[in-house]
Amino acid sequence: MKTLNWRHYVALALLTFGLFLPGRMTLPPLDRDEPRYMEASAQMLETRNFIDVRFLDQPRYLQPAGIYWLEAGAEALFGGVHARHLAWPYRIPSLIAVTLAVTLTAYLGANLFGGPAGLLAGALLAVSTLMTAEGRMATIDTVLLLDILLIETALLSAFLDRQADRPTRLATALLYWVAIGCGLMLKGPVVLIPAFGTPLALWAVERDKAWWSRLRPAWGWLLSVAIVLPWCVAIDIVSHGHFFSRAVGTNFLGKIGHGQQAHGMLPGYYLLVFGLSFWPGSLFAVLALPAIWQHRRDARVRFLLCWILPHWLVFECIATKLPHYVLPTYPAIAMLAAASLTAWQVHKPLARWARWLMTTYAIIWCVIGVAFCGAGVCLLWQLEHHVTPGAVIATCGALPLMILAIRLLMHGERLHGAMSAVAAAVVIHAGLFIAVIPALDTIRLAPRAAALFDDYRPCAESRLVSVSYSEPSLAFLAGASTRFLGIDAAADLMGKDGECTLVLVDRRDESAFRAAMQQHGRNIVEYGRVAGLNYSNGHKLDLGLFAGVMP
């Protein structure tokens, strides 16, 4: 079995780093989660309060402070107070995390199934649709993925030590419990689902829990508690107990029974979106199912299945569903798919119904791939009524690779088909983030509105009040003093602080706002307008920036 050396991993890390660089500096803050993370991290630096996480004037009691510390640290090192409106420094933790996650996936895959399988597993993870998006945003998901990968690495090491009848190093136990502690600081008890779900599933399958003692659970849990306890005590004191009632009671437990923020879905949702979210690897994962079943008694396969299934099933049962909730299972899925392409052969013929289902899935996969090839050009034409040369070049580069992948699959050359599909995905993503998204001015409402506010701010400490547009990206770009208010509250605030307050109002709300201002004895004067599409909800807006003046 061919293995990889350190040069292979360094090369893969550099390639991944380069793959995820395009778009990092040109992407505007992506509504809605990303600017909330960035704004809360920026306020940490401005207030020097690193315990109480806040978004504008409200506490943000969703998860512990770990991710905000990482983003605030990245901003302090690479941004600074004068570059507060820039998004890219806050995205550095996700860039580092995705680079390490892909490299670690290749390392695990190579040690389990050989070097070619490891490299292919890393490639399938890196170019997957969900990873491509999450790896470019300043959110928690990619960093959490890396943390869970470290937990699973420690579990796998102890498991394989049991298989080889060799002692488990102390460093493995330290890695496991420290990673759990860091995961608790990132996302709270969510990290315990994979951390304990995998060993519990293995115990249920094997009826053997002796290998668990290799991780020193008698004292290891104290390390996890030591990492998270100081901040827990501090936030409990600062928030007067409100943090735990909201973060655990409302955010964590509330998602189990009710779909929060319009994200309630029935079980089966993650299977339904898998074809898109793990594309192009989704087809090869489905085609790998017969091989996985044939090798189900292989200890390596058993471990990966016990990594995937508990996590996946738990989140299928939870009412609130978002695609990134099952992202931590994707490295294991990528390893199994890669193993089926490089290390295994299936000798048992498939039943007719199975062949029919896989053929149907393959057709859907092909349609998605061809659609991705032309998505950039279509999006530019639909929103901006023109196309850029870069978008056309990307389409012309990706489409032949996608057609080649389809032809190779039709001739039974799955490995070469997978390689061609990965190459097509790289071209598609490069085109989107280099040539397409930077040219989409219509959806850049928040950057243009914030720039308009900066052009006309009457005071050094001016405040922007937005009546008709309440996206968090506007708050991040315009500053922590930004307020999202209704018409009457905005008019009241401008009546009290008219000299330093500007108000952003959509044309449909303009007459009502003018009437409210007249009740406060003021008229309004327009400084400028921005129009575009709020892509978070699909609404078209024509926003005017207004100041209050005496009649």
Side-chain angles (χ1 to χ4, degrees):
M1 186 168 64
K2 295 180 179 179
T3 58
L4 303 177
N5 59 43
W6 66 270
R7 293 182 182 85
H8 294 106
Y9 297 118
V10 171
L12 179 60
L14 291 175
L15 286 172
T16 305
F17 189 87
L19 178 65
F20 280 84
L21 275 181
R24 195 160 295 273
M25 295 187 180
T26 57
L27 277 175
L30 298 172
D31 293 315
R32 298 181 169 168
D33 277 350
E34 187 187 37
R36 289 192 178 104
Y37 282 105
M38 295 191 294
E39 174 60 26
S41 302
Q43 289 182 213
M44 272 189 171
L45 292 174
E46 293 171 352
T47 63
R48 315 307 294 177
N49 182 352
F50 296 96
I51 301 298
D52 195 17
V53 181
R54 305 187 76 81
F55 176 77
L56 300 181
D57 58 341
Q58 298 296 317
R60 182 168 168 79
Y61 293 159
L62 299 179
Q63 63 266 322
I67 187 62
Y68 306 101
W69 291 346
L70 292 175
E71 292 187 8
E75 165 66 9
L77 286 173
F78 300 100
V81 293
H82 299 296
R84 181 187 186 279
H85 61 287
L86 297 177
W88 69 265
Y90 300 92
R91 294 171 174 154
I92 289 175
S94 64
L95 174 61
I96 295 172
V98 72
T99 301
L100 295 177
V102 168
T103 307
L104 185 54
T105 297
Y107 170 80
L108 294 177
N111 280 275
L112 288 175
F113 304 111
L119 290 176
L120 183 57
L124 291 175
L125 178 66
V127 300
S128 62
T129 307
L130 185 58
M131 194 68 162
T132 298
E134 294 295 339
R136 284 178 168 84
M137 291 194 293
T139 54
I140 194 173
D141 302 292
T142 312
V143 178
L144 182 65
L145 168 65
L146 175 61
D147 183 82
I148 291 174
L149 259 171
L150 293 171
I151 291 172
E152 298 290 352
T153 298
L155 286 168
L156 178 59
S157 179
F159 182 76
L160 294 179
D161 287 341
R162 190 277 306 270
Q163 296 298 110
D165 195 23
R166 60 177 178 252
T168 298
R169 296 179 301 167
L170 176 63
T172 300
L174 292 176
L175 173 62
Y176 178 69
W177 294 106
V178 169
I180 288 178
C182 293
L184 290 170
M185 277 304 305
L186 286 170
K187 196 68 172 177
V190 170
V191 76
L192 301 180
I193 296 172
F196 295 143
T198 300
L200 284 173
L202 284 167
W203 175 47
V205 171
E206 298 181 338
R207 300 297 178 183
D208 177 16
K209 58 181 180 180
W211 69 276
W212 171 251
S213 62
R214 294 170 175 270
L215 294 169
R216 283 77 165 182
W219 54 263
W221 64 274
L222 292 172
L223 288 175
S224 302
V225 172
I227 292 172
V228 73
L229 184 61
W231 181 83
C232 287
V233 173
I235 192 61
D236 191 57
I237 294 172
V238 170
S239 69
H240 304 289
H242 292 159
F243 172 82
F244 291 102
S245 64
R246 294 190 192 179
V248 178
T250 302
N251 185 49
F252 180 66
L253 296 178
K255 289 179 177 179
I256 296 176
H258 305 282
Q260 294 185 350
Q261 300 173 338
H263 297 307
M265 297 289 177
L266 294 174
Y269 167 79
Y270 294 112
L271 282 177
L272 185 65
V273 302
F274 180 73
L276 178 64
S277 61
F278 194 57
W279 190 93
S282 52
L283 174 62
F284 304 101
V286 170
L287 295 177
L289 290 175
I292 294 170
W293 177 254
Q294 184 173 308
H295 293 84
R296 65 190 182 278
R297 291 184 174 84
D298 187 322
R300 300 167 299 176
V301 175
R302 188 163 61 245
F303 180 90
L304 293 176
L305 290 176
C306 289
W307 172 348
I308 296 167
L309 293 177
H311 190 107
W312 193 289
L313 291 174
V314 165
F315 282 98
E316 284 284 19
C317 294
I318 290 175
T320 302
K321 292 181 174 64
L322 287 169
H324 59 257
Y325 286 175
V326 296
L327 180 61
T329 67
Y330 282 11
I333 295 172
M335 285 181 243
L336 289 172
S340 74
L341 293 169
T342 62
W344 298 334
Q345 291 184 350
V346 180
H347 303 289
K348 185 177 180 180
L350 295 177
R352 179 180 297 179
W353 64 268
R355 292 197 303 271
W356 183 86
L357 286 176
M358 287 191 174
T359 300
T360 303
Y361 198 88
I363 293 172
I364 295 171
W365 179 89
C366 293
V367 171
I368 292 172
V370 173
F372 273 151
C373 291
V377 170
C378 294
L379 194 61
L380 276 172
W381 184 257
Q382 178 70 24
L383 294 178
E384 306 297 332
H385 306 296
H386 68 83
V387 295
T388 62
V392 175
I393 292 171
T395 296
C396 292
L399 191 56
L401 290 168
M402 187 62 212
I403 294 173
L404 177 60
I406 295 171
R407 287 179 59 86
L408 289 168
L409 287 169
M410 290 176 65
H411 288 85
E413 299 183 45
R414 292 185 183 179
L415 176 58
H416 293 103
M419 295 169 65
S420 184
V422 167
V426 170
V427 177
I428 291 168
H429 298 153
L432 283 174
F433 292 108
I434 293 176
V436 176
I437 294 178
L440 293 175
D441 290 332
T442 300
I443 64 173
R444 301 171 74 95
L445 260 179
R448 290 189 286 125
L452 181 65
F453 171 64
D454 284 337
D455 289 341
Y456 290 100
R457 60 169 66 228
C459 311
E461 300 298 327
S462 292
R463 175 192 288 118
L464 177 64
V465 176
S466 183
V467 170
S468 311
Y469 181 61
S470 59
E471 298 302 331
S473 54
L474 181 62
F476 171 73
L477 295 168
S481 61
T482 303
R483 294 293 179 268
F484 300 119
L485 302 174
I487 291 174
D488 293 335
D492 184 61
L493 181 61
M494 180 172 275
K496 296 176 182 176
D497 187 25
E499 294 183 359
C500 293
T501 298
L502 298 179
V503 180
L504 201 62
V505 184
D506 183 58
R507 191 176 294 279
R508 288 170 294 187
D509 298 322
E510 203 171 298
S511 58
F513 179 67
R514 191 181 299 273
M517 286 297 296
Q518 289 175 351
Q519 292 181 359
H520 287 80
R522 287 178 177 259
N523 293 329
I524 56 174
V525 58
E526 181 183 305
Y527 284 165
R529 307 194 73 87
V530 293
L533 178 70
N534 181 359
Y535 61 87
S536 292
N537 53 28
H539 294 165
K540 292 182 178 180
L541 297 174
D542 182 3
L543 302 171
L545 185 69
F546 296 93
V549 294
M550 297 301 294

